[in-house]
Amino acid sequence: MSEVIGLVLPFFGLIFMGFLVARITRQPLEALGWMTTFIVYVALPALFFQLLAKTPFERLTEWGYIFGAVVSTFIIFALMFTASYIKGRGEIAESTIKGLASAYGNIGYMGPGLALLAFGEEAAVPVALIFCFENIMHFTIAPMMMALAGDEPRAPMSVALDVLKKIAFHPFIIATAVGVLAAYVEFRPPLPVERFLEYLSRAAAPCALFAMGVTLALRPLKRVPHEMVPIALLKLIVHPLVCYVVLSWIGNFSPVWLFSAMLLAALPTATNVFVIAQQYGVWVERASASVLVTTCASVLTVTGLLYMIQHGILPPDLFP
């Protein structure tokens, strides 16, 4: 157990450090802007490119793996959306945000750092593939469902073009595509460029986790909504279990790939859920609460999952 605690303590410690510093210095959220820009547009794209470019191309076309991970996430979204839709008597917009809070994990900021720390560089490829294709799904679901709810004022063609633009020009997805292309043509950057990318990559996880802690500190929790219990259970426990079952059933994936997908599924609600809620003016405070509550609870659940993985309690293939 001490090994697992030693693994996650520095990771969650960086989040806590960001939270603490933000509470002490009382800087506005806008002060985080340039760090967020550096993380999203420079550090994490450099990390994705560097690791993907070194990977044999055939390992980047595991369509069964991609399908299983994305379907697992969609199942969780559909469960919460359906339950909320029925209980709310046809409330689409609010049900969409609840569904995203239950399924959209913090795979961008927390995923790469924790997976690489837990499983080594072999985890980079599954993390990048899951991030790329799950974000395509999330970028599509949110505006589509809001359009159905009538909360999207733009014309359908404008919404579709905006979705395509977000997918095509997202820096993580661009870096993933360029990394895959580099792997295909077996391109290796010159040594000075390689060192520069490595330097940027090392900054990705610490900066992202610190920024996440600051964000949580500056969006204080006023009350815990009653919806937090099913959302936290679905996000932190049911989602990784569904992912485990689906990927074990689909194919014979390596333990690192299977457990990387489980770990990403077990991560707390992404801060982007709050951004989407704020964009449409739907369930804003509760979306913020879901990020904070699931992040705090994930200290225990993620630690427990890593303990079960490292001590062989979870077999690497449920259906041998």
Side-chain angles (χ1 to χ4, degrees):
M1 188 66 181
S2 59
E3 291 179 8
V4 176
I5 293 174
L7 185 70
V8 300
L9 190 60
F11 188 84
F12 285 105
L14 280 166
I15 298 175
F16 176 73
M17 185 61 66
F19 185 93
L20 185 65
V21 170
R23 286 292 193 178
I24 292 172
T25 60
R26 296 290 180 180
Q27 294 288 332
L29 188 59
E30 291 75 19
L32 196 62
W34 283 111
M35 178 177 275
T36 302
T37 300
F38 171 74
I39 294 163
V40 173
Y41 288 90
V42 181
L44 283 172
L47 176 65
F48 283 136
F49 170 80
Q50 189 187 37
L51 294 171
L52 287 171
K54 296 176 182 177
T55 304
F57 179 74
E58 59 272 10
R59 300 205 63 196
L60 302 176
T61 54
E62 290 278 3
W63 297 111
Y65 180 83
I66 295 166
F67 175 79
V70 172
V71 163
S72 302
T73 300
F74 184 77
I75 288 170
I76 300 301
F77 171 83
L79 284 173
M80 176 51 76
F81 176 87
T82 303
S84 177
Y85 182 82
I86 293 170
K87 187 177 179 181
R89 298 181 181 180
E91 178 55 59
I92 295 177
E94 190 173 297
S95 299
T96 299
I97 302 299
K98 290 180 184 178
L100 291 173
S102 303
Y104 192 174
N106 206 329
I107 55 178
Y109 275 20
M110 296 180 71
L114 188 54
L116 291 172
L117 197 63
F119 307 122
E121 288 197 359
E122 191 182 344
V125 176
V127 167
L129 291 176
I130 289 172
F131 176 86
C132 183
F133 286 93
E134 285 201 1
N135 267 310
I136 289 172
M137 180 178 70
H138 296 311
F139 290 162
T140 306
I141 283 177
M144 182 183 71
M145 298 306 291
M146 292 304 176
L148 289 174
D151 290 344
E152 176 56 75
R154 296 172 297 174
M157 184 59 69
S158 176
V159 174
L161 288 174
D162 186 55
V163 169
L164 290 174
K165 191 186 299 182
K166 282 183 178 179
I167 293 170
F169 293 102
H170 193 289
F172 293 176
I173 293 176
I174 291 173
T176 300
V178 174
V180 170
L181 180 62
Y184 179 73
V185 300
E186 299 182 353
F187 170 76
R188 293 292 179 270
L191 186 58
V193 176
E194 181 75 20
R195 286 176 177 168
F196 180 61
L197 290 172
E198 186 178 349
Y199 188 62
L200 292 174
S201 300
R202 288 178 179 176
C207 290
L209 296 171
F210 183 88
M212 185 181 170
V214 172
T215 304
L216 292 174
L218 298 179
R219 290 175 185 155
L221 179 62
K222 296 179 180 177
R223 65 186 183 88
V224 179
H226 65 274
E227 298 97 334
M228 286 303 102
V229 174
I231 285 174
L233 287 174
L234 281 170
K235 184 71 217 67
L236 302 175
I237 297 175
V238 180
H239 192 181
L241 286 175
V242 170
C243 186
Y244 181 48
V245 171
V246 170
L247 286 176
S248 294
W249 178 67
I250 285 178
N252 231 359
F253 303 111
S254 76
V256 169
W257 281 54
L258 176 64
F259 291 141
S260 293
M262 279 191 74
L263 180 59
L264 264 61
L267 293 178
T269 303
T271 51
N272 272 352
V273 174
F274 170 77
V275 174
I276 293 168
Q278 201 170 40
Q279 178 185 347
Y280 292 101
V282 177
W283 218 63
V284 178
E285 285 190 14
R286 296 180 183 186
S288 178
S290 69
V291 176
L292 181 57
V293 169
T294 56
T295 300
C296 293
S298 69
V299 176
L300 297 176
T301 56
V302 169
T303 302
L305 175 61
L306 288 172
Y307 177 84
M308 288 191 290
I309 291 171
Q310 291 205 351
H311 288 78
I313 297 172
L314 288 174
D317 193 349
L318 193 59
F319 307 109

